[in-house]
Amino acid sequence: MYEPNQPNPGPTPAYGQNAGYNAAYYPPQGAPPQQPPYEFNGYGGDGKDPYEGDRFKPKKRINDPIFLILFVLQFLGFAALSGIALNSWISEGGLGGGLGKTGGKTGAAVTLNRSTVYLLLLVTAAAILLSVVYLLLTRAFTRMIMHITLILSILLNIGICVYYWITKYYSGAIIFTIIALFSVLSYFGYRSRIPLASLLLQVVMDVSKHHKSVYVVAFIALIAQAAVAVWYTFTVIATYAKWTPGNPSCASSGCSSGKVAGLIFFETFSFLWTSQVIGNVALATLAGGPYGSWYYFGPRDMGEMPKHPTLTAFGRASTLSLGSIAFGSLIVTLLELLKMLLQAAQQNASQDGNPVEACLACCAACCIGFIQNLVEYFNRYAYIEIALYGKPYIEAAKDTWRLFKDRGIDALVNDSLVSMTMTWGAYVIGLLCSLFAYLYLRFTAPSYNASGQYTAPVLLFSFLIGLMCSLTMSSAIEAGVSTIFVGLGEDPQVLAIRAPELFGMIANTYPDVTRGVPRV
């Protein structure tokens, strides 16, 4: 569905027609036509060899093997720890607990029980449902959703700011006041860029309609993400049950709060890293499969697209390039853990009555969060280079940086609202999952949370589950948008064939971008 008064990219099969390029390149209203700078002689009429530079046919070598080994070892370590904890937890009957008010009150009062497992299972189901609904809404109301997410981000920042002022948490209040003012001012700048980003999203969704594998990959990634979240949930609960002092299953002197904290930290690290890898493997599969093939080979009806491009791309991403994907994912995971530690330090300092330390910790957490967002944004394009060319992570990162800086491509990327729309949608879904968990705790009043000491970790787990599930689902669309950006930076003439209206709008807004980036 396309919004009224907005350029329509046309049906997907028309993207492969040479006439579409002429309509986009020559100026309208009788202006003198310019000499087309590209020759059209094969490969769907764009004159580009899709296999240039080992594209789609990378060298058969395992890239970044050290990080591949580290990823496998940490995953095996998590599996072993989970097996030990779950075996003990199951043998003890799970410490009781169930659904509802009566079930929540049963079990031991010193630690989390099965009631919380059921709660987080419900949170996972809610996250999947909300993610699917949000994707469908974005598909149907692209432009409206972009406006709504921008407005929601402003209201959310203002709400947090007001809450901090009311609760007299002045260090956080000052910081979020600045953030709220910045978000209000940025809305007016982003609003004028919504038509281009909306058209770009709609082109990607139009392409995805002709490649059902896009949604198959997204759904499988979402199920895998949910399965990891459920596994992580059971493991965390079992860890609390086995090693918390005073617990019935803790019959040895090896139980301590420090051990529980350390094990939970490792489990959270493993969960975040594994979740990142799952989402990024899906991104690389889509970029090197349906989206990349559409960009360089044309629609499937033209008969030049290789057979089973999605399966081939998945094979590369899950084997030869898995170490490179794990490398980039590890960087984001470490930044996420550092931000969580700083946020915990901020809360402790605030509770201890140290406003200066709380303010410093809050500022540091915001800085780390900003760096994390930049790294995630940068990595997405690096993964596409990896998917298309089979490059190691460092080489892909260098080429991505060159792509960002040469000939104005950074202006186009920085003006994209697609990532913001998907990220804020995931953030809202995470908050809704946390709200659901809070209401469940409030109305069921489980015995282990009589004084509210476990409310914060349960809400954090719920938020992480909702956030990661939603980000995995939305990565299917972001993969297509980012792949078009990479292809535009390297071979802009191809986009003039595939989506002439989109190319025309980009050429009018960013004329330097359409020249392409020279290869070195």
Side-chain angles (χ1 to χ4, degrees):
M1 179 183 297
Y2 296 98
E3 300 289 338
N5 302 322
Q6 181 176 339
N8 190 326
T12 300
Y15 294 163
Q17 297 177 1
N18 291 352
Y21 169 78
N22 297 330
Y25 188 79
Y26 292 109
Q29 299 179 353
Q34 304 180 31
Q35 181 67 27
Y38 311 115
E39 295 181 0
F40 304 96
N41 47 15
Y43 295 111
D46 54 36
K48 297 299 299 183
D49 182 0
Y51 298 106
E52 179 182 345
D54 293 330
R55 188 190 295 121
F56 298 113
K57 289 185 177 181
K59 299 177 181 178
K60 295 187 180 300
R61 64 184 181 188
I62 298 178
N63 295 319
D64 299 308
I66 295 178
F67 293 94
L68 174 60
I69 294 173
L70 289 176
F71 176 74
V72 173
L73 289 178
Q74 69 82 25
F75 185 79
L76 293 177
F78 175 83
L81 175 60
S82 175
I84 295 172
L86 289 173
N87 181 65
S88 174
W89 185 64
I90 293 173
S91 65
E92 294 289 335
L95 300 180
L99 285 171
K101 192 174 184 63
T102 302
K105 287 184 176 298
T106 62
V110 297
T111 188
L112 304 173
N113 60 22
R114 191 182 298 169
S115 173
T116 309
V117 175
Y118 293 141
L119 164 61
L120 295 183
L121 286 174
L122 291 175
V123 167
T124 302
I128 294 176
L129 178 61
L130 291 172
S131 299
V132 173
V133 170
Y134 183 74
L135 190 61
L136 292 175
L137 290 175
T138 303
R139 182 187 178 91
F141 308 102
T142 311
R143 196 168 179 177
M144 183 185 302
I145 290 292
M146 287 186 173
H147 280 289
I148 292 175
T149 52
L150 284 176
I151 294 173
L152 283 177
S153 67
I154 297 173
L155 295 178
L156 179 63
N157 291 328
I158 293 175
I160 295 175
C161 172
V162 171
Y163 172 77
Y164 281 158
W165 282 113
I166 292 176
T167 57
K168 299 181 180 180
Y169 180 41
Y170 296 117
S171 58
I174 294 173
I175 293 174
F176 272 92
T177 297
I178 297 174
I179 294 175
L181 290 174
F182 178 78
S183 64
V184 171
L185 295 176
S186 65
Y187 170 76
F188 295 98
Y190 278 120
R191 185 176 59 181
S192 61
R193 299 160 186 160
I194 286 179
L196 175 59
S198 176
L199 178 60
L200 182 62
L201 253 181
Q202 291 174 348
V203 168
V204 171
M205 292 178 179
D206 194 30
V207 173
S208 67
K209 288 191 300 184
H210 296 268
H211 294 273
K212 303 304 181 183
S213 59
V214 170
Y215 299 103
V216 172
V217 171
F219 186 74
I220 292 176
L222 182 59
I223 294 299
Q225 193 72 271
V228 170
V230 171
W231 188 13
Y232 167 72
T233 299
F234 274 84
T235 302
V236 168
I237 303 302
T239 301
Y240 271 108
K242 180 173 177 58
W243 284 288
T244 299
N247 214 32
S249 62
C250 182
S252 66
S253 59
C255 298
S256 68
S257 299
K259 176 180 286 189
V260 171
L263 293 176
I264 295 298
F265 180 83
F266 169 74
E267 291 163 0
T268 303
F269 163 76
S270 180
F271 168 65
L272 292 175
W273 194 7
T274 304
S275 298
Q276 284 279 335
V277 169
I278 291 174
N280 293 328
V281 166
L283 187 153
T285 299
L286 295 173
Y291 291 128
S293 297
W294 170 82
Y295 193 94
Y296 284 101
F297 292 99
R300 192 186 303 274
D301 295 342
M302 296 180 63
E304 296 177 356
M305 184 179 296
K307 293 182 179 180
H308 311 298
T310 305
L311 287 176
T312 303
F314 174 74
R316 296 195 302 266
S318 59
T319 54
L320 302 178
S321 298
L322 185 58
S324 301
I325 294 174
F327 187 179
S329 302
L330 177 61
I331 298 174
V332 176
T333 300
L334 294 176
L335 290 172
E336 176 69 22
L337 285 175
L338 181 57
K339 184 177 69 173
M340 292 171 61
L341 291 175
L342 289 172
Q343 290 173 342
Q346 170 194 345
Q347 294 176 357
N348 292 334
S350 178
Q351 293 175 357
D352 295 339
N354 297 319
V356 177
E357 295 180 7
C359 182
L360 292 176
C362 184
C363 292
C366 290
C367 292
I368 295 298
F370 178 74
I371 295 173
Q372 177 192 348
N373 291 334
L374 289 180
V375 172
E376 288 179 333
Y377 196 72
F378 179 85
N379 274 353
R380 186 162 69 247
Y381 292 88
Y383 296 141
I384 294 174
E385 292 282 344
I386 292 171
L388 293 176
Y389 299 96
K391 301 174 182 176
Y393 177 75
I394 296 297
E395 181 182 346
K398 291 179 180 179
D399 291 342
T400 300
W401 179 253
R402 176 179 57 83
L403 184 69
F404 276 19
K405 299 302 295 181
D406 285 355
R407 300 196 180 183
I409 189 65
D410 54 337
L412 177 62
V413 173
N414 291 330
D415 281 345
S416 174
L417 288 166
V418 175
S419 179
M420 179 182 296
T421 301
M422 297 301 179
T423 300
W424 277 108
Y427 187 66
V428 171
I429 289 173
L431 290 177
L432 291 175
C433 289
S434 295
L435 176 61
F436 176 78
Y438 174 77
L439 293 175
Y440 186 91
L441 290 176
R442 182 71 179 270
F443 290 108
T444 60
S447 56
Y448 66 82
N449 200 44
S451 58
Q453 69 271 29
Y454 286 107
T455 299
V458 170
L459 296 186
L460 176 61
F461 296 154
S462 301
F463 177 79
L464 287 175
I465 290 172
L467 180 71
M468 297 306 294
C469 287
S470 180
L471 287 177
T472 300
M473 195 68 176
S474 63
S475 65
I477 301 301
E478 290 188 44
V481 175
S482 301
T483 303
I484 289 179
F485 278 161
V486 172
L488 177 66
E490 295 184 345
D491 302 293
Q493 68 275 23
V494 180
L495 185 64
I497 298 295
R498 305 290 178 252
E501 293 289 348
L502 177 61
F503 180 83
M505 180 177 284
I506 295 174
N508 291 332
T509 307
Y510 304 106
D512 290 339
V513 170
T514 57
R515 292 185 297 159
V517 177
R519 290 187 175 87
V520 293

